[in-house]
Amino acid sequence: MLSITDHLVLRTIDGAADLLVEELRAMPSVHSVNQTSAVTVECVLDGPLDEVAACPLYSTVQFGDGSVRLTWTHRFGRHERLPWSTNYVVAEVLVRMAKLRAGQRLLDPFCGTGTILRAAHRLEPAIRLVGLDHDHPKVMKAKAEALPLADGCVDRVVANLPFGKQVGSHRDNLRLYPAVLQELDRVLTPDGRVVLLTEDKRLLRDAVQRSPFKVVRERLFRYNGATPTAYVLTRSRAGGRRSPSTPRAASRRRGPGTPAP
């Protein structure tokens, strides 16, 4: 365990700095925490480096001598990624927005290489993870519109939706977004919570207005030329969960190995 006294500058992404400040202020060995820009937080470390090093909400840390000795990949290793994979720090913020609790089941229906699922496990190791995806875009969309899960078996959903740029198109999303919300209504528990990231913002908002969900929180990110927004959804009072007696829900059959409610 390395103990030091030093002035640190932590770099994150625009949209995550406030959460980084919160986590640093909760560390006993960190003092004088101050957000100095949309992407930088400065503090004084007087004690073990381990606590700061384990925080996943920054990309790099610069020390008082100007050196950069902590980076995301050095701390957590290199993972398989695709061009449209979720930014590491964004994934950490998304799972915090989901308000995870031990024993819950979390679903990512567009999990790709599992960035969000790994972030969820770091935040709450006792959570149960379900990831679905497929390499072929058309199959991926078909799977998202008919999830192989039982009714009411998922507590939390966190997903990076296709933006309609590198994956799919806005025209594809016109069908996909409403269909995904319909399926999430079916598989989600009555008090479930959904966090969805997208740049096709107007379309998602329009789809939510025609669904049993409502937007209760938003968070804008800016990184690498992208400006996606994360939307937190819960069921509206007027919506409620789809009755299992409806033709669509009643005809849903659980496949082998599908989690039960």
PDB file of all heavy atoms in Angstrom, residues 86-107:
ATOM      1  N   THR A  86     -19.578   1.077 -25.500  1.00  0.00           N
ATOM      2  CA  THR A  86     -19.822   2.147 -24.546  1.00  0.00           C
ATOM      3  C   THR A  86     -18.508   2.637 -23.950  1.00  0.00           C
ATOM      4  O   THR A  86     -17.656   1.839 -23.562  1.00  0.00           O
ATOM      5  CB  THR A  86     -20.733   1.650 -23.405  1.00  0.00           C
ATOM      6  OG1 THR A  86     -21.885   1.019 -23.962  1.00  0.00           O
ATOM      7  CG2 THR A  86     -21.169   2.802 -22.522  1.00  0.00           C
ATOM      8  N   ASN A  87     -18.339   3.947 -23.893  1.00  0.00           N
ATOM      9  CA  ASN A  87     -17.185   4.541 -23.237  1.00  0.00           C
ATOM     10  C   ASN A  87     -17.105   4.005 -21.796  1.00  0.00           C
ATOM     11  O   ASN A  87     -18.114   3.887 -21.105  1.00  0.00           O
ATOM     12  CB  ASN A  87     -17.339   6.064 -23.244  1.00  0.00           C
ATOM     13  CG  ASN A  87     -16.250   6.766 -22.482  1.00  0.00           C
ATOM     14  OD1 ASN A  87     -16.271   6.820 -21.265  1.00  0.00           O
ATOM     15  ND2 ASN A  87     -15.305   7.352 -23.209  1.00  0.00           N
ATOM     16  N   TYR A  88     -15.893   3.673 -21.334  1.00  0.00           N
ATOM     17  CA  TYR A  88     -15.722   3.077 -20.018  1.00  0.00           C
ATOM     18  C   TYR A  88     -16.345   3.924 -18.897  1.00  0.00           C
ATOM     19  O   TYR A  88     -17.068   3.421 -18.044  1.00  0.00           O
ATOM     20  CB  TYR A  88     -14.233   2.881 -19.704  1.00  0.00           C
ATOM     21  CG  TYR A  88     -13.544   1.827 -20.531  1.00  0.00           C
ATOM     22  CD1 TYR A  88     -12.320   2.093 -21.153  1.00  0.00           C
ATOM     23  CD2 TYR A  88     -14.093   0.556 -20.664  1.00  0.00           C
ATOM     24  CE1 TYR A  88     -11.673   1.112 -21.898  1.00  0.00           C
ATOM     25  CE2 TYR A  88     -13.449  -0.425 -21.408  1.00  0.00           C
ATOM     26  CZ  TYR A  88     -12.238  -0.140 -22.022  1.00  0.00           C
ATOM     27  OH  TYR A  88     -11.605  -1.107 -22.761  1.00  0.00           O
ATOM     28  N   VAL A  89     -16.020   5.215 -18.887  1.00  0.00           N
ATOM     29  CA  VAL A  89     -16.507   6.078 -17.810  1.00  0.00           C
ATOM     30  C   VAL A  89     -18.011   6.274 -17.924  1.00  0.00           C
ATOM     31  O   VAL A  89     -18.727   6.301 -16.910  1.00  0.00           O
ATOM     32  CB  VAL A  89     -15.766   7.430 -17.814  1.00  0.00           C
ATOM     33  CG1 VAL A  89     -16.338   8.361 -16.754  1.00  0.00           C
ATOM     34  CG2 VAL A  89     -14.267   7.227 -17.581  1.00  0.00           C
ATOM     35  N   VAL A  90     -18.526   6.392 -19.141  1.00  0.00           N
ATOM     36  CA  VAL A  90     -19.972   6.503 -19.328  1.00  0.00           C
ATOM     37  C   VAL A  90     -20.679   5.289 -18.737  1.00  0.00           C
ATOM     38  O   VAL A  90     -21.704   5.408 -18.058  1.00  0.00           O
ATOM     39  CB  VAL A  90     -20.328   6.656 -20.819  1.00  0.00           C
ATOM     40  CG1 VAL A  90     -21.835   6.534 -21.037  1.00  0.00           C
ATOM     41  CG2 VAL A  90     -19.841   7.998 -21.347  1.00  0.00           C
ATOM     42  N   ALA A  91     -20.130   4.099 -18.972  1.00  0.00           N
ATOM     43  CA  ALA A  91     -20.737   2.881 -18.427  1.00  0.00           C
ATOM     44  C   ALA A  91     -20.806   2.945 -16.905  1.00  0.00           C
ATOM     45  O   ALA A  91     -21.817   2.544 -16.299  1.00  0.00           O
ATOM     46  CB  ALA A  91     -19.942   1.657 -18.874  1.00  0.00           C
ATOM     47  N   GLU A  92     -19.754   3.462 -16.278  1.00  0.00           N
ATOM     48  CA  GLU A  92     -19.750   3.579 -14.817  1.00  0.00           C
ATOM     49  C   GLU A  92     -20.839   4.535 -14.340  1.00  0.00           C
ATOM     50  O   GLU A  92     -21.495   4.297 -13.318  1.00  0.00           O
ATOM     51  CB  GLU A  92     -18.380   4.069 -14.332  1.00  0.00           C
ATOM     52  CG  GLU A  92     -17.230   3.127 -14.626  1.00  0.00           C
ATOM     53  CD  GLU A  92     -17.271   1.852 -13.797  1.00  0.00           C
ATOM     54  OE1 GLU A  92     -17.925   1.844 -12.738  1.00  0.00           O
ATOM     55  OE2 GLU A  92     -16.628   0.869 -14.216  1.00  0.00           O
ATOM     56  N   VAL A  93     -21.050   5.624 -15.066  1.00  0.00           N
ATOM     57  CA  VAL A  93     -22.092   6.579 -14.688  1.00  0.00           C
ATOM     58  C   VAL A  93     -23.477   5.963 -14.885  1.00  0.00           C
ATOM     59  O   VAL A  93     -24.378   6.125 -14.038  1.00  0.00           O
ATOM     60  CB  VAL A  93     -21.965   7.882 -15.496  1.00  0.00           C
ATOM     61  CG1 VAL A  93     -23.113   8.824 -15.170  1.00  0.00           C
ATOM     62  CG2 VAL A  93     -20.626   8.564 -15.209  1.00  0.00           C
ATOM     63  N   LEU A  94     -23.670   5.245 -15.979  1.00  0.00           N
ATOM     64  CA  LEU A  94     -24.980   4.658 -16.260  1.00  0.00           C
ATOM     65  C   LEU A  94     -25.414   3.712 -15.147  1.00  0.00           C
ATOM     66  O   LEU A  94     -26.575   3.726 -14.725  1.00  0.00           O
ATOM     67  CB  LEU A  94     -24.951   3.905 -17.597  1.00  0.00           C
ATOM     68  CG  LEU A  94     -24.704   4.730 -18.858  1.00  0.00           C
ATOM     69  CD1 LEU A  94     -24.727   3.821 -20.096  1.00  0.00           C
ATOM     70  CD2 LEU A  94     -25.736   5.843 -19.011  1.00  0.00           C
ATOM     71  N   VAL A  95     -24.497   2.867 -14.666  1.00  0.00           N
ATOM     72  CA  VAL A  95     -24.890   1.915 -13.630  1.00  0.00           C
ATOM     73  C   VAL A  95     -25.156   2.621 -12.303  1.00  0.00           C
ATOM     74  O   VAL A  95     -25.971   2.149 -11.502  1.00  0.00           O
ATOM     75  CB  VAL A  95     -23.864   0.776 -13.469  1.00  0.00           C
ATOM     76  CG1 VAL A  95     -23.761  -0.026 -14.758  1.00  0.00           C
ATOM     77  CG2 VAL A  95     -22.501   1.298 -13.053  1.00  0.00           C
ATOM     78  N   ARG A  96     -24.525   3.742 -12.059  1.00  0.00           N
ATOM     79  CA  ARG A  96     -24.847   4.517 -10.858  1.00  0.00           C
ATOM     80  C   ARG A  96     -26.239   5.133 -10.964  1.00  0.00           C
ATOM     81  O   ARG A  96     -26.950   5.236  -9.963  1.00  0.00           O
ATOM     82  CB  ARG A  96     -23.784   5.599 -10.623  1.00  0.00           C
ATOM     83  CG  ARG A  96     -22.492   5.037 -10.032  1.00  0.00           C
ATOM     84  CD  ARG A  96     -21.298   5.927 -10.229  1.00  0.00           C
ATOM     85  NE  ARG A  96     -20.106   5.395  -9.576  1.00  0.00           N
ATOM     86  CZ  ARG A  96     -19.397   4.358 -10.003  1.00  0.00           C
ATOM     87  NH1 ARG A  96     -19.741   3.745 -11.120  1.00  0.00           N
ATOM     88  NH2 ARG A  96     -18.342   3.933  -9.339  1.00  0.00           N
ATOM     89  N   MET A  97     -26.619   5.534 -12.149  1.00  0.00           N
ATOM     90  CA  MET A  97     -27.954   6.087 -12.359  1.00  0.00           C
ATOM     91  C   MET A  97     -29.045   5.037 -12.165  1.00  0.00           C
ATOM     92  O   MET A  97     -30.194   5.361 -11.878  1.00  0.00           O
ATOM     93  CB  MET A  97     -28.055   6.695 -13.757  1.00  0.00           C
ATOM     94  CG  MET A  97     -27.149   7.898 -13.976  1.00  0.00           C
ATOM     95  SD  MET A  97     -27.143   8.496 -15.688  1.00  0.00           S
ATOM     96  CE  MET A  97     -28.758   9.292 -15.757  1.00  0.00           C
ATOM     97  N   ALA A  98     -28.679   3.767 -12.298  1.00  0.00           N
ATOM     98  CA  ALA A  98     -29.654   2.682 -12.155  1.00  0.00           C
ATOM     99  C   ALA A  98     -29.981   2.378 -10.697  1.00  0.00           C
ATOM    100  O   ALA A  98     -30.965   1.691 -10.422  1.00  0.00           O
ATOM    101  CB  ALA A  98     -29.135   1.416 -12.836  1.00  0.00           C
ATOM    102  N   LYS A  99     -29.175   2.858  -9.757  1.00  0.00           N
ATOM    103  CA  LYS A  99     -29.407   2.632  -8.324  1.00  0.00           C
ATOM    104  C   LYS A  99     -29.511   1.137  -8.019  1.00  0.00           C
ATOM    105  O   LYS A  99     -30.544   0.641  -7.571  1.00  0.00           O
ATOM    106  CB  LYS A  99     -30.644   3.383  -7.843  1.00  0.00           C
ATOM    107  CG  LYS A  99     -30.528   4.897  -7.982  1.00  0.00           C
ATOM    108  CD  LYS A  99     -31.706   5.630  -7.380  1.00  0.00           C
ATOM    109  CE  LYS A  99     -31.515   7.135  -7.464  1.00  0.00           C
ATOM    110  NZ  LYS A  99     -32.671   7.875  -6.886  1.00  0.00           N
ATOM    111  N   LEU A 100     -28.426   0.427  -8.249  1.00  0.00           N
ATOM    112  CA  LEU A 100     -28.392  -1.017  -8.078  1.00  0.00           C
ATOM    113  C   LEU A 100     -28.397  -1.410  -6.608  1.00  0.00           C
ATOM    114  O   LEU A 100     -27.864  -0.699  -5.758  1.00  0.00           O
ATOM    115  CB  LEU A 100     -27.127  -1.589  -8.735  1.00  0.00           C
ATOM    116  CG  LEU A 100     -26.870  -1.210 -10.198  1.00  0.00           C
ATOM    117  CD1 LEU A 100     -25.588  -1.856 -10.676  1.00  0.00           C
ATOM    118  CD2 LEU A 100     -28.039  -1.629 -11.072  1.00  0.00           C
ATOM    119  N   ARG A 101     -28.987  -2.581  -6.343  1.00  0.00           N
ATOM    120  CA  ARG A 101     -28.973  -3.162  -5.007  1.00  0.00           C
ATOM    121  C   ARG A 101     -28.597  -4.634  -5.100  1.00  0.00           C
ATOM    122  O   ARG A 101     -28.900  -5.299  -6.096  1.00  0.00           O
ATOM    123  CB  ARG A 101     -30.328  -3.013  -4.317  1.00  0.00           C
ATOM    124  CG  ARG A 101     -30.722  -1.567  -4.034  1.00  0.00           C
ATOM    125  CD  ARG A 101     -31.857  -1.497  -3.030  1.00  0.00           C
ATOM    126  NE  ARG A 101     -33.056  -2.144  -3.507  1.00  0.00           N
ATOM    127  CZ  ARG A 101     -34.016  -1.551  -4.197  1.00  0.00           C
ATOM    128  NH1 ARG A 101     -33.898  -0.271  -4.508  1.00  0.00           N
ATOM    129  NH2 ARG A 101     -35.083  -2.213  -4.576  1.00  0.00           N
ATOM    130  N   ALA A 102     -27.954  -5.132  -4.060  1.00  0.00           N
ATOM    131  CA  ALA A 102     -27.522  -6.526  -4.038  1.00  0.00           C
ATOM    132  C   ALA A 102     -28.708  -7.459  -4.259  1.00  0.00           C
ATOM    133  O   ALA A 102     -29.798  -7.235  -3.734  1.00  0.00           O
ATOM    134  CB  ALA A 102     -26.860  -6.843  -2.697  1.00  0.00           C
ATOM    135  N   GLY A 103     -28.487  -8.492  -5.071  1.00  0.00           N
ATOM    136  CA  GLY A 103     -29.510  -9.489  -5.319  1.00  0.00           C
ATOM    137  C   GLY A 103     -30.434  -9.170  -6.486  1.00  0.00           C
ATOM    138  O   GLY A 103     -31.197 -10.036  -6.922  1.00  0.00           O
ATOM    139  N   GLN A 104     -30.365  -7.944  -7.005  1.00  0.00           N
ATOM    140  CA  GLN A 104     -31.197  -7.599  -8.149  1.00  0.00           C
ATOM    141  C   GLN A 104     -30.671  -8.251  -9.423  1.00  0.00           C
ATOM    142  O   GLN A 104     -29.508  -8.645  -9.504  1.00  0.00           O
ATOM    143  CB  GLN A 104     -31.245  -6.076  -8.334  1.00  0.00           C
ATOM    144  CG  GLN A 104     -32.036  -5.340  -7.273  1.00  0.00           C
ATOM    145  CD  GLN A 104     -32.093  -3.852  -7.535  1.00  0.00           C
ATOM    146  OE1 GLN A 104     -31.155  -3.261  -8.064  1.00  0.00           O
ATOM    147  NE2 GLN A 104     -33.193  -3.221  -7.173  1.00  0.00           N
ATOM    148  N   ARG A 105     -31.542  -8.344 -10.427  1.00  0.00           N
ATOM    149  CA  ARG A 105     -31.137  -8.838 -11.743  1.00  0.00           C
ATOM    150  C   ARG A 105     -31.109  -7.657 -12.706  1.00  0.00           C
ATOM    151  O   ARG A 105     -32.094  -6.941 -12.860  1.00  0.00           O
ATOM    152  CB  ARG A 105     -32.102  -9.910 -12.254  1.00  0.00           C
ATOM    153  CG  ARG A 105     -31.719 -10.430 -13.645  1.00  0.00           C
ATOM    154  CD  ARG A 105     -32.653 -11.526 -14.122  1.00  0.00           C
ATOM    155  NE  ARG A 105     -32.334 -12.792 -13.500  1.00  0.00           N
ATOM    156  CZ  ARG A 105     -33.189 -13.504 -12.775  1.00  0.00           C
ATOM    157  NH1 ARG A 105     -34.405 -13.067 -12.580  1.00  0.00           N
ATOM    158  NH2 ARG A 105     -32.815 -14.655 -12.236  1.00  0.00           N
ATOM    159  N   LEU A 106     -29.961  -7.458 -13.342  1.00  0.00           N
ATOM    160  CA  LEU A 106     -29.777  -6.362 -14.301  1.00  0.00           C
ATOM    161  C   LEU A 106     -29.666  -6.931 -15.704  1.00  0.00           C
ATOM    162  O   LEU A 106     -28.929  -7.890 -15.942  1.00  0.00           O
ATOM    163  CB  LEU A 106     -28.530  -5.553 -13.956  1.00  0.00           C
ATOM    164  CG  LEU A 106     -28.189  -4.400 -14.911  1.00  0.00           C
ATOM    165  CD1 LEU A 106     -27.605  -3.229 -14.130  1.00  0.00           C
ATOM    166  CD2 LEU A 106     -27.189  -4.831 -15.995  1.00  0.00           C
ATOM    167  N   LEU A 107     -30.368  -6.311 -16.638  1.00  0.00           N
ATOM    168  CA  LEU A 107     -30.349  -6.724 -18.036  1.00  0.00           C
ATOM    169  C   LEU A 107     -29.735  -5.633 -18.907  1.00  0.00           C
ATOM    170  O   LEU A 107     -30.072  -4.454 -18.771  1.00  0.00           O
ATOM    171  CB  LEU A 107     -31.783  -6.997 -18.522  1.00  0.00           C
ATOM    172  CG  LEU A 107     -31.997  -7.101 -20.039  1.00  0.00           C
ATOM    173  CD1 LEU A 107     -31.322  -8.346 -20.599  1.00  0.00           C
ATOM    174  CD2 LEU A 107     -33.485  -7.082 -20.382  1.00  0.00           C
TER     175      LEU A 107
END
